[in-house]
Amino acid sequence: KAGVTQTPRYLIKTRGQQVTLSCSPISGHRSVSWYQQTPGQGLQFLFEYFSETQRNKGNFPGRFSGRQFSNSRSEMNVSTLELGDSALYLCASSPRMDGSQETQYFGPGTRLLVL
Amino acid sequence: QQQVKQSPQSLIVQKGGISIINCAYENTAFDYFPWYQQFPGKGPALLIAIRPDVSEKKEGRFTISFNKSAKQFSLHIMDSQPGDSATYFCAATEFSYNTDKLIFGTGTRLQVFP
């Protein structure tokens, strides 16, 4: 089974631009979560989606948004980029079936550099 | 109350030694505690996880010890190997509240020298 894939892997943008990152979960997984990883703040939860519905959102400004499609693929968007948005953005998926606890599997991340 | 505190920040261990990383939490609603291992340039990978109804879980050289009353849990890596050199994150989540949201510790950079 293929793992979680994220595209693009690397991205360079300038301040004020917007960016869209994509995540394809493991086949059959319905839950997708996004995290931001920086040296200063560590791993911070952005939002999670299940069956196209946002279930939870972290403490990030409204410039950060996301969505999930019917095939469970997810995108996150950051508008009006700031220098501080430079980070590794990680996507994780889990099956979330029948109420059972399943491991979250992380993708390799998208490294975003804002100049 | 949502924080997970992790220590130490960095750890240097000789090959064959025991590596111990500690985490503490406040939120008693947390009911699933995974440990992740991350190599440079890679996403975190699940190492081992525990629920609060058990005090210890062992998988190969990796053991989680869990103290519910103290709200602490730790990762023990026995017979540490140079290939174990990575950053380790503890995490916690309120699975029973129908969320996958993970609260991560700040990470421990482990270096194992031959």
Side-chain angles (χ1 to χ4, degrees), chain A residues 1-47:
Chain A
K1 226 179 208 183
V4 177
T5 57
Q6 292 187 245
T7 56
R9 291 292 313 278
Y10 304 93
L11 207 49
I12 300 175
K13 291 285 186 179
T14 56
R15 278 185 304 172
Q17 286 187 309
Q18 78 164 25
V19 67
T20 299
L21 311 182
S22 181
C23 171
S24 292
I26 293 171
S27 178
H29 285 197
R30 296 166 62 191
S31 173
V32 173
S33 300
W34 288 88
Y35 295 83
Q36 181 195 64
Q37 185 174 23
T38 60
Q41 299 298 316
L43 280 150
Q44 291 191 292
F45 173 79
L46 279 158
F47 25 66

mmCIF file of all heavy atoms in Angstrom, chain A residues 1-47:
data_model
loop_
_atom_site.group_PDB
_atom_site.id
_atom_site.type_symbol
_atom_site.label_atom_id
_atom_site.label_comp_id
_atom_site.label_asym_id
_atom_site.label_seq_id
_atom_site.Cartn_x
_atom_site.Cartn_y
_atom_site.Cartn_z
ATOM 1 N N LYS A 1 0.849 -1.191 0.000
ATOM 2 C CA LYS A 1 0.000 0.000 0.000
ATOM 3 C C LYS A 1 0.887 1.245 0.000
ATOM 4 O O LYS A 1 1.839 1.342 0.765
ATOM 5 C CB LYS A 1 -0.825 0.023 1.306
ATOM 6 C CG LYS A 1 -2.272 0.333 1.101
ATOM 7 C CD LYS A 1 -3.017 0.321 2.442
ATOM 8 C CE LYS A 1 -4.463 -0.061 2.212
ATOM 9 N NZ LYS A 1 -5.246 -0.012 3.445
ATOM 10 N N ALA A 2 0.561 2.193 -0.862
ATOM 11 C CA ALA A 2 1.344 3.416 -0.910
ATOM 12 C C ALA A 2 1.093 4.224 0.355
ATOM 13 O O ALA A 2 0.011 4.187 0.942
ATOM 14 C CB ALA A 2 0.952 4.225 -2.140
ATOM 15 N N GLY A 3 2.110 4.973 0.760
ATOM 16 C CA GLY A 3 1.980 5.796 1.953
ATOM 17 C C GLY A 3 1.300 7.104 1.651
ATOM 18 O O GLY A 3 0.781 7.332 0.556
ATOM 19 N N VAL A 4 1.317 7.988 2.631
ATOM 20 C CA VAL A 4 0.759 9.333 2.447
ATOM 21 C C VAL A 4 1.691 10.110 1.519
ATOM 22 O O VAL A 4 2.914 10.108 1.721
ATOM 23 C CB VAL A 4 0.657 10.059 3.800
ATOM 24 C CG1 VAL A 4 0.135 11.479 3.603
ATOM 25 C CG2 VAL A 4 -0.239 9.273 4.758
ATOM 26 N N THR A 5 1.130 10.704 0.509
ATOM 27 C CA THR A 5 1.955 11.490 -0.406
ATOM 28 C C THR A 5 1.576 12.960 -0.302
ATOM 29 O O THR A 5 0.401 13.303 -0.129
ATOM 30 C CB THR A 5 1.804 11.018 -1.863
ATOM 31 O OG1 THR A 5 0.422 11.091 -2.232
ATOM 32 C CG2 THR A 5 2.286 9.583 -2.012
ATOM 33 N N GLN A 6 2.597 13.802 -0.406
ATOM 34 C CA GLN A 6 2.374 15.239 -0.336
ATOM 35 C C GLN A 6 3.077 15.907 -1.504
ATOM 36 O O GLN A 6 4.204 15.548 -1.853
ATOM 37 C CB GLN A 6 2.917 15.812 0.979
ATOM 38 C CG GLN A 6 2.149 15.349 2.211
ATOM 39 C CD GLN A 6 2.613 16.057 3.462
ATOM 40 O OE1 GLN A 6 3.154 15.435 4.366
ATOM 41 N NE2 GLN A 6 2.398 17.364 3.514
ATOM 42 N N THR A 7 2.389 16.843 -2.105
ATOM 43 C CA THR A 7 2.984 17.599 -3.201
ATOM 44 C C THR A 7 2.690 19.081 -3.032
ATOM 45 O O THR A 7 1.619 19.452 -2.503
ATOM 46 C CB THR A 7 2.421 17.135 -4.566
ATOM 47 O OG1 THR A 7 1.002 17.242 -4.562
ATOM 48 C CG2 THR A 7 2.851 15.703 -4.863
ATOM 49 N N PRO A 8 3.606 19.954 -3.449
ATOM 50 C CA PRO A 8 4.973 19.595 -3.839
ATOM 51 C C PRO A 8 5.815 19.289 -2.612
ATOM 52 O O PRO A 8 5.364 19.473 -1.491
ATOM 53 C CB PRO A 8 5.447 20.866 -4.544
ATOM 54 C CG PRO A 8 4.723 21.958 -3.819
ATOM 55 C CD PRO A 8 3.367 21.404 -3.464
ATOM 56 N N ARG A 9 7.008 18.816 -2.794
ATOM 57 C CA ARG A 9 7.885 18.544 -1.656
ATOM 58 C C ARG A 9 8.601 19.808 -1.179
ATOM 59 O O ARG A 9 8.851 19.965 0.001
ATOM 60 C CB ARG A 9 8.925 17.483 -2.029
ATOM 61 C CG ARG A 9 8.344 16.100 -2.242
ATOM 62 C CD ARG A 9 7.819 15.481 -0.930
ATOM 63 N NE ARG A 9 8.771 15.611 0.165
ATOM 64 C CZ ARG A 9 9.800 14.811 0.363
ATOM 65 N NH1 ARG A 9 10.011 13.801 -0.475
ATOM 66 N NH2 ARG A 9 10.610 14.981 1.385
ATOM 67 N N TYR A 10 8.888 20.678 -2.105
ATOM 68 C CA TYR A 10 9.577 21.917 -1.764
ATOM 69 C C TYR A 10 8.914 23.075 -2.517
ATOM 70 O O TYR A 10 8.447 22.903 -3.647
ATOM 71 C CB TYR A 10 11.065 21.851 -2.137
ATOM 72 C CG TYR A 10 11.778 20.683 -1.519
ATOM 73 C CD1 TYR A 10 11.899 19.478 -2.210
ATOM 74 C CD2 TYR A 10 12.328 20.784 -0.243
ATOM 75 C CE1 TYR A 10 12.547 18.399 -1.632
ATOM 76 C CE2 TYR A 10 12.977 19.702 0.336
ATOM 77 C CZ TYR A 10 13.078 18.514 -0.365
ATOM 78 O OH TYR A 10 13.710 17.443 0.210
ATOM 79 N N LEU A 11 8.906 24.206 -1.852
ATOM 80 C CA LEU A 11 8.222 25.363 -2.424
ATOM 81 C C LEU A 11 8.883 26.633 -1.913
ATOM 82 O O LEU A 11 9.158 26.763 -0.721
ATOM 83 C CB LEU A 11 6.758 25.326 -1.976
ATOM 84 C CG LEU A 11 5.659 25.960 -2.806
ATOM 85 C CD1 LEU A 11 5.742 25.539 -4.257
ATOM 86 C CD2 LEU A 11 4.309 25.563 -2.236
ATOM 87 N N ILE A 12 9.130 27.552 -2.828
ATOM 88 C CA ILE A 12 9.648 28.868 -2.438
ATOM 89 C C ILE A 12 8.659 29.921 -2.910
ATOM 90 O O ILE A 12 8.289 29.945 -4.091
ATOM 91 C CB ILE A 12 11.039 29.140 -3.050
ATOM 92 C CG1 ILE A 12 12.035 28.089 -2.573
ATOM 93 C CG2 ILE A 12 11.521 30.544 -2.674
ATOM 94 C CD1 ILE A 12 13.411 28.210 -3.220
ATOM 95 N N LYS A 13 8.226 30.757 -1.985
ATOM 96 C CA LYS A 13 7.271 31.818 -2.302
ATOM 97 C C LYS A 13 7.781 33.121 -1.707
ATOM 98 O O LYS A 13 8.702 33.137 -0.887
ATOM 99 C CB LYS A 13 5.893 31.480 -1.701
ATOM 100 C CG LYS A 13 5.193 30.304 -2.358
ATOM 101 C CD LYS A 13 4.626 30.687 -3.699
ATOM 102 C CE LYS A 13 3.795 29.578 -4.295
ATOM 103 N NZ LYS A 13 3.229 29.978 -5.619
ATOM 104 N N THR A 14 7.175 34.210 -2.115
ATOM 105 C CA THR A 14 7.523 35.508 -1.537
ATOM 106 C C THR A 14 6.363 36.006 -0.675
ATOM 107 O O THR A 14 5.215 35.560 -0.823
ATOM 108 C CB THR A 14 7.843 36.536 -2.630
ATOM 109 O OG1 THR A 14 6.733 36.617 -3.529
ATOM 110 C CG2 THR A 14 9.087 36.135 -3.400
ATOM 111 N N ARG A 15 6.691 36.893 0.222
ATOM 112 C CA ARG A 15 5.679 37.463 1.122
ATOM 113 C C ARG A 15 4.487 38.012 0.351
ATOM 114 O O ARG A 15 4.655 38.658 -0.681
ATOM 115 C CB ARG A 15 6.295 38.581 1.952
ATOM 116 C CG ARG A 15 7.050 38.116 3.163
ATOM 117 C CD ARG A 15 7.519 39.278 3.994
ATOM 118 N NE ARG A 15 8.326 40.198 3.211
ATOM 119 C CZ ARG A 15 8.737 41.382 3.661
ATOM 120 N NH1 ARG A 15 8.389 41.791 4.856
ATOM 121 N NH2 ARG A 15 9.473 42.155 2.893
ATOM 122 N N GLY A 16 3.300 37.777 0.861
ATOM 123 C CA GLY A 16 2.099 38.284 0.219
ATOM 124 C C GLY A 16 1.447 37.311 -0.755
ATOM 125 O O GLY A 16 0.262 37.446 -1.076
ATOM 126 N N GLN A 17 2.239 36.344 -1.232
ATOM 127 C CA GLN A 17 1.657 35.361 -2.146
ATOM 128 C C GLN A 17 0.804 34.369 -1.382
ATOM 129 O O GLN A 17 0.757 34.371 -0.149
ATOM 130 C CB GLN A 17 2.774 34.610 -2.887
ATOM 131 C CG GLN A 17 3.464 35.430 -3.955
ATOM 132 C CD GLN A 17 4.436 34.590 -4.755
ATOM 133 O OE1 GLN A 17 5.298 33.882 -4.211
ATOM 134 N NE2 GLN A 17 4.329 34.666 -6.091
ATOM 135 N N GLN A 18 0.124 33.519 -2.121
ATOM 136 C CA GLN A 18 -0.619 32.447 -1.486
ATOM 137 C C GLN A 18 -0.105 31.109 -2.006
ATOM 138 O O GLN A 18 0.561 31.042 -3.038
ATOM 139 C CB GLN A 18 -2.122 32.576 -1.753
ATOM 140 C CG GLN A 18 -2.576 32.129 -3.120
ATOM 141 C CD GLN A 18 -4.095 31.916 -3.170
ATOM 142 O OE1 GLN A 18 -4.856 32.492 -2.404
ATOM 143 N NE2 GLN A 18 -4.536 31.075 -4.078
ATOM 144 N N VAL A 19 -0.373 30.046 -1.251
ATOM 145 C CA VAL A 19 0.144 28.737 -1.618
ATOM 146 C C VAL A 19 -0.894 27.663 -1.306
ATOM 147 O O VAL A 19 -1.674 27.803 -0.355
ATOM 148 C CB VAL A 19 1.464 28.447 -0.867
ATOM 149 C CG1 VAL A 19 1.224 28.304 0.635
ATOM 150 C CG2 VAL A 19 2.165 27.227 -1.422
ATOM 151 N N THR A 20 -0.913 26.636 -2.126
ATOM 152 C CA THR A 20 -1.804 25.489 -1.904
ATOM 153 C C THR A 20 -0.965 24.223 -1.856
ATOM 154 O O THR A 20 -0.156 23.967 -2.760
ATOM 155 C CB THR A 20 -2.848 25.366 -3.023
ATOM 156 O OG1 THR A 20 -3.664 26.546 -3.047
ATOM 157 C CG2 THR A 20 -3.750 24.151 -2.780
ATOM 158 N N LEU A 21 -1.131 23.472 -0.785
ATOM 159 C CA LEU A 21 -0.404 22.222 -0.607
ATOM 160 C C LEU A 21 -1.401 21.070 -0.693
ATOM 161 O O LEU A 21 -2.546 21.189 -0.245
ATOM 162 C CB LEU A 21 0.277 22.189 0.763
ATOM 163 C CG LEU A 21 1.106 23.424 1.153
ATOM 164 C CD1 LEU A 21 1.754 23.214 2.508
ATOM 165 C CD2 LEU A 21 2.135 23.741 0.093
ATOM 166 N N SER A 22 -0.939 19.945 -1.221
ATOM 167 C CA SER A 22 -1.833 18.820 -1.447
ATOM 168 C C SER A 22 -1.389 17.591 -0.671
ATOM 169 O O SER A 22 -0.193 17.365 -0.480
ATOM 170 C CB SER A 22 -1.890 18.509 -2.947
ATOM 171 O OG SER A 22 -2.760 17.438 -3.196
ATOM 172 N N CYS A 23 -2.355 16.811 -0.258
ATOM 173 C CA CYS A 23 -2.089 15.582 0.492
ATOM 174 C C CYS A 23 -3.002 14.469 0.000
ATOM 175 O O CYS A 23 -4.224 14.638 -0.050
ATOM 176 C CB CYS A 23 -2.324 15.819 1.984
ATOM 177 S SG CYS A 23 -2.282 14.326 2.994
ATOM 178 N N SER A 24 -2.402 13.347 -0.355
ATOM 179 C CA SER A 24 -3.183 12.160 -0.709
ATOM 180 C C SER A 24 -2.999 11.127 0.387
ATOM 181 O O SER A 24 -1.874 10.641 0.589
ATOM 182 C CB SER A 24 -2.732 11.589 -2.054
ATOM 183 O OG SER A 24 -3.059 12.477 -3.099
ATOM 184 N N PRO A 25 -4.061 10.797 1.116
ATOM 185 C CA PRO A 25 -3.925 9.842 2.224
ATOM 186 C C PRO A 25 -3.733 8.425 1.708
ATOM 187 O O PRO A 25 -3.886 8.146 0.517
ATOM 188 C CB PRO A 25 -5.249 9.980 2.966
ATOM 189 C CG PRO A 25 -6.223 10.387 1.911
ATOM 190 C CD PRO A 25 -5.443 11.250 0.958
ATOM 191 N N ILE A 26 -3.407 7.546 2.628
ATOM 192 C CA ILE A 26 -3.324 6.124 2.307
ATOM 193 C C ILE A 26 -4.702 5.668 1.841
ATOM 194 O O ILE A 26 -5.718 6.082 2.399
ATOM 195 C CB ILE A 26 -2.856 5.321 3.532
ATOM 196 C CG1 ILE A 26 -1.400 5.698 3.860
ATOM 197 C CG2 ILE A 26 -2.994 3.829 3.313
ATOM 198 C CD1 ILE A 26 -0.899 5.146 5.167
ATOM 199 N N SER A 27 -4.714 4.812 0.838
ATOM 200 C CA SER A 27 -5.976 4.335 0.281
ATOM 201 C C SER A 27 -6.868 3.739 1.369
ATOM 202 O O SER A 27 -6.427 2.896 2.162
ATOM 203 C CB SER A 27 -5.688 3.268 -0.784
ATOM 204 O OG SER A 27 -6.882 2.750 -1.302
ATOM 205 N N GLY A 28 -8.103 4.214 1.425
ATOM 206 C CA GLY A 28 -9.041 3.723 2.430
ATOM 207 C C GLY A 28 -9.093 4.560 3.687
ATOM 208 O O GLY A 28 -10.020 4.412 4.501
ATOM 209 N N HIS A 29 -8.131 5.448 3.859
ATOM 210 C CA HIS A 29 -8.132 6.320 5.044
ATOM 211 C C HIS A 29 -9.063 7.497 4.813
ATOM 212 O O HIS A 29 -9.035 8.136 3.766
ATOM 213 C CB HIS A 29 -6.717 6.827 5.339
ATOM 214 C CG HIS A 29 -5.834 5.790 5.939
ATOM 215 N ND1 HIS A 29 -4.660 6.108 6.581
ATOM 216 C CD2 HIS A 29 -5.952 4.443 6.005
ATOM 217 C CE1 HIS A 29 -4.090 4.997 7.023
ATOM 218 N NE2 HIS A 29 -4.859 3.972 6.677
ATOM 219 N N ARG A 30 -9.876 7.807 5.814
ATOM 220 C CA ARG A 30 -10.864 8.867 5.670
ATOM 221 C C ARG A 30 -10.547 10.111 6.484
ATOM 222 O O ARG A 30 -11.171 11.151 6.330
ATOM 223 C CB ARG A 30 -12.235 8.327 6.070
ATOM 224 C CG ARG A 30 -12.726 7.207 5.158
ATOM 225 C CD ARG A 30 -13.883 6.471 5.761
ATOM 226 N NE ARG A 30 -15.047 7.332 5.959
ATOM 227 C CZ ARG A 30 -16.118 6.982 6.665
ATOM 228 N NH1 ARG A 30 -16.159 5.807 7.257
ATOM 229 N NH2 ARG A 30 -17.135 7.790 6.780
ATOM 230 N N SER A 31 -9.604 9.984 7.397
ATOM 231 C CA SER A 31 -9.268 11.120 8.258
ATOM 232 C C SER A 31 -7.917 11.700 7.843
ATOM 233 O O SER A 31 -6.947 10.956 7.656
ATOM 234 C CB SER A 31 -9.211 10.639 9.713
ATOM 235 O OG SER A 31 -8.738 11.667 10.552
ATOM 236 N N VAL A 32 -7.868 13.000 7.675
ATOM 237 C CA VAL A 32 -6.619 13.690 7.305
ATOM 238 C C VAL A 32 -6.403 14.856 8.255
ATOM 239 O O VAL A 32 -7.329 15.630 8.520
ATOM 240 C CB VAL A 32 -6.681 14.204 5.850
ATOM 241 C CG1 VAL A 32 -5.444 15.061 5.549
ATOM 242 C CG2 VAL A 32 -6.776 13.049 4.867
ATOM 243 N N SER A 33 -5.193 14.945 8.759
ATOM 244 C CA SER A 33 -4.823 16.054 9.645
ATOM 245 C C SER A 33 -3.604 16.763 9.078
ATOM 246 O O SER A 33 -2.799 16.149 8.381
ATOM 247 C CB SER A 33 -4.503 15.541 11.048
ATOM 248 O OG SER A 33 -5.603 14.870 11.625
ATOM 249 N N TRP A 34 -3.469 18.028 9.409
ATOM 250 C CA TRP A 34 -2.331 18.832 8.964
ATOM 251 C C TRP A 34 -1.609 19.396 10.180
ATOM 252 O O TRP A 34 -2.251 19.813 11.168
ATOM 253 C CB TRP A 34 -2.800 19.991 8.087
ATOM 254 C CG TRP A 34 -3.278 19.593 6.717
ATOM 255 C CD1 TRP A 34 -4.550 19.227 6.368
ATOM 256 C CD2 TRP A 34 -2.501 19.548 5.514
ATOM 257 N NE1 TRP A 34 -4.596 18.956 5.018
ATOM 258 C CE2 TRP A 34 -3.361 19.149 4.474
ATOM 259 C CE3 TRP A 34 -1.161 19.811 5.208
ATOM 260 C CZ2 TRP A 34 -2.931 19.008 3.149
ATOM 261 C CZ3 TRP A 34 -0.746 19.667 3.898
ATOM 262 C CH2 TRP A 34 -1.617 19.270 2.881
ATOM 263 N N TYR A 35 -0.270 19.448 10.071
ATOM 264 C CA TYR A 35 0.562 19.987 11.131
ATOM 265 C C TYR A 35 1.616 20.897 10.521
ATOM 266 O O TYR A 35 2.079 20.678 9.404
ATOM 267 C CB TYR A 35 1.266 18.867 11.910
ATOM 268 C CG TYR A 35 0.311 17.968 12.667
ATOM 269 C CD1 TYR A 35 -0.327 16.918 12.015
ATOM 270 C CD2 TYR A 35 0.038 18.180 14.015
ATOM 271 C CE1 TYR A 35 -1.221 16.105 12.694
ATOM 272 C CE2 TYR A 35 -0.844 17.362 14.696
ATOM 273 C CZ TYR A 35 -1.473 16.335 14.027
ATOM 274 O OH TYR A 35 -2.355 15.521 14.703
ATOM 275 N N GLN A 36 2.008 21.886 11.306
ATOM 276 C CA GLN A 36 3.122 22.756 10.930
ATOM 277 C C GLN A 36 4.300 22.436 11.849
ATOM 278 O O GLN A 36 4.127 22.338 13.064
ATOM 279 C CB GLN A 36 2.732 24.228 11.106
ATOM 280 C CG GLN A 36 3.833 25.206 10.708
ATOM 281 C CD GLN A 36 3.572 26.610 11.218
ATOM 282 O OE1 GLN A 36 3.537 26.851 12.419
ATOM 283 N NE2 GLN A 36 3.399 27.559 10.292
ATOM 284 N N GLN A 37 5.473 22.238 11.261
ATOM 285 C CA GLN A 37 6.658 21.957 12.071
ATOM 286 C C GLN A 37 7.702 23.027 11.841
ATOM 287 O O GLN A 37 8.150 23.255 10.699
ATOM 288 C CB GLN A 37 7.240 20.570 11.751
ATOM 289 C CG GLN A 37 8.396 20.196 12.667
ATOM 290 C CD GLN A 37 8.881 18.777 12.459
ATOM 291 O OE1 GLN A 37 8.691 18.180 11.401
ATOM 292 N NE2 GLN A 37 9.499 18.214 13.480
ATOM 293 N N THR A 38 8.106 23.703 12.906
ATOM 294 C CA THR A 38 9.172 24.694 12.853
ATOM 295 C C THR A 38 10.143 24.427 13.988
ATOM 296 O O THR A 38 9.771 23.824 15.005
ATOM 297 C CB THR A 38 8.618 26.126 13.018
ATOM 298 O OG1 THR A 38 7.957 26.217 14.291
ATOM 299 C CG2 THR A 38 7.646 26.479 11.910
ATOM 300 N N PRO A 39 11.407 24.859 13.841
ATOM 301 C CA PRO A 39 12.384 24.650 14.920
ATOM 302 C C PRO A 39 11.953 25.331 16.225
ATOM 303 O O PRO A 39 12.184 24.800 17.306
ATOM 304 C CB PRO A 39 13.664 25.272 14.368
ATOM 305 C CG PRO A 39 13.486 25.224 12.887
ATOM 306 C CD PRO A 39 12.030 25.451 12.649
ATOM 307 N N GLY A 40 11.312 26.462 16.117
ATOM 308 C CA GLY A 40 10.946 27.210 17.323
ATOM 309 C C GLY A 40 9.690 26.720 18.011
ATOM 310 O O GLY A 40 9.623 26.668 19.234
ATOM 311 N N GLN A 41 8.681 26.348 17.248
ATOM 312 C CA GLN A 41 7.378 25.966 17.806
ATOM 313 C C GLN A 41 7.110 24.469 17.781
ATOM 314 O O GLN A 41 6.114 24.006 18.338
ATOM 315 C CB GLN A 41 6.259 26.694 17.050
ATOM 316 C CG GLN A 41 6.319 28.206 17.144
ATOM 317 C CD GLN A 41 6.176 28.695 18.568
ATOM 318 O OE1 GLN A 41 5.324 28.199 19.319
ATOM 319 N NE2 GLN A 41 7.002 29.638 18.964
ATOM 320 N N GLY A 42 7.979 23.712 17.145
ATOM 321 C CA GLY A 42 7.783 22.271 17.098
ATOM 322 C C GLY A 42 6.645 21.889 16.172
ATOM 323 O O GLY A 42 6.379 22.563 15.182
ATOM 324 N N LEU A 43 5.955 20.812 16.528
ATOM 325 C CA LEU A 43 4.849 20.297 15.720
ATOM 326 C C LEU A 43 3.537 20.844 16.260
ATOM 327 O O LEU A 43 3.144 20.557 17.390
ATOM 328 C CB LEU A 43 4.818 18.769 15.783
ATOM 329 C CG LEU A 43 5.800 18.037 14.888
ATOM 330 C CD1 LEU A 43 6.206 16.713 15.497
ATOM 331 C CD2 LEU A 43 5.170 17.804 13.511
ATOM 332 N N GLN A 44 2.854 21.606 15.434
ATOM 333 C CA GLN A 44 1.592 22.216 15.881
ATOM 334 C C GLN A 44 0.457 21.819 14.958
ATOM 335 O O GLN A 44 0.600 21.856 13.726
ATOM 336 C CB GLN A 44 1.733 23.738 15.917
ATOM 337 C CG GLN A 44 2.675 24.229 17.007
ATOM 338 C CD GLN A 44 2.571 25.729 17.173
ATOM 339 O OE1 GLN A 44 2.959 26.480 16.288
ATOM 340 N NE2 GLN A 44 2.035 26.155 18.291
ATOM 341 N N PHE A 45 -0.656 21.464 15.560
ATOM 342 C CA PHE A 45 -1.838 21.027 14.844
ATOM 343 C C PHE A 45 -2.498 22.198 14.121
ATOM 344 O O PHE A 45 -2.718 23.261 14.718
ATOM 345 C CB PHE A 45 -2.808 20.410 15.851
ATOM 346 C CG PHE A 45 -4.156 20.063 15.295
ATOM 347 C CD1 PHE A 45 -4.358 18.915 14.559
ATOM 348 C CD2 PHE A 45 -5.239 20.900 15.526
ATOM 349 C CE1 PHE A 45 -5.611 18.591 14.069
ATOM 350 C CE2 PHE A 45 -6.497 20.589 15.039
ATOM 351 C CZ PHE A 45 -6.679 19.426 14.302
ATOM 352 N N LEU A 46 -2.803 21.971 12.836
ATOM 353 C CA LEU A 46 -3.494 22.992 12.045
ATOM 354 C C LEU A 46 -4.998 22.711 11.967
ATOM 355 O O LEU A 46 -5.811 23.506 12.384
ATOM 356 C CB LEU A 46 -2.914 23.044 10.637
ATOM 357 C CG LEU A 46 -1.618 23.824 10.477
ATOM 358 C CD1 LEU A 46 -0.871 23.374 9.239
ATOM 359 C CD2 LEU A 46 -1.907 25.321 10.399
ATOM 360 N N PHE A 47 -5.371 21.593 11.373
ATOM 361 C CA PHE A 47 -6.777 21.180 11.295
ATOM 362 C C PHE A 47 -6.871 19.720 10.899
ATOM 363 O O PHE A 47 -5.896 19.124 10.468
ATOM 364 C CB PHE A 47 -7.610 22.041 10.319
ATOM 365 C CG PHE A 47 -6.843 22.717 9.225
ATOM 366 C CD1 PHE A 47 -6.202 21.987 8.233
ATOM 367 C CD2 PHE A 47 -6.769 24.109 9.189
ATOM 368 C CE1 PHE A 47 -5.499 22.618 7.229
ATOM 369 C CE2 PHE A 47 -6.076 24.744 8.169
ATOM 370 C CZ PHE A 47 -5.435 24.002 7.193
#
